[in-house]
């Protein structure tokens, strides 16, 4: 978030957007935590066992999805490479 803010102050809004997507993904970890805890509860995994693992890992799927979206977006915006022969 701090990096995104810094980039916005520098008026680099393309990179600002990329960093704010990452910030949003990590902030959403609180929601993911609760979803994963519900799944663990439904599977009968004790809270004392599941919570320490889920609390650490809840940010991982969000960040992966965010980075995949950024990679896909970058591929779409990058023009195709030209061959060495110029054609």
């Amino acid at each position: 978030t701090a990096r995104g803010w810094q980039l916005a102050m520098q008026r680099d809004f393309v990179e600002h957007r990329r960093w704010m997507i990452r910030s949003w993904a990590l902030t959403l970890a609180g929601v993911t935590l609760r979803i994963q805890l519900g799944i663990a509860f439904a599977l009968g995994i004790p809270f004392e066992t599941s919570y320490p693992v889920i609390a650490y890992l809840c940010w991982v799927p969000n960040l992966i999805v965010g980075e995949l979206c950024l990679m896909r977006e970058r591929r779409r915006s990058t023009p195709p490479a030209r061959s060495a022969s110029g054609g």
Side-chain angles (χ1 to χ4, degrees), residues 6 13 46 53 60 66 74:
Q6 181 183 36
F13 296 113
V53 175
V60 174
R74 183 172 278 166

Side-chain angles (χ1 to χ4, degrees), residues 17-78:
R17 181 177 178 277
R18 294 179 60 82
W19 279 96
M20 295 315 294
I21 287 171
R22 292 178 182 114
S23 175
W24 179 80
L26 294 173
T27 300
L28 195 61
V31 175
T32 305
L33 171 91
R34 282 147 184 90
I35 292 169
Q36 291 175 343
L37 284 174
I39 292 168
F41 178 76
L43 294 174
I45 302 171
F47 179 81
E48 298 78 21
T49 303
S50 64
Y51 186 78
V53 175
I54 291 171
Y56 179 74
L57 295 178
C58 64
W59 58 271
V60 174
N62 301 341
L63 197 54
I64 289 171
V65 169
E67 289 297 324
L68 289 173
C69 289
L70 291 172
M71 286 171 40
R72 190 171 103 199
E73 181 180 283
R74 183 172 278 166
R75 270 188 260 128
R76 284 184 182 170
S77 65
T78 304

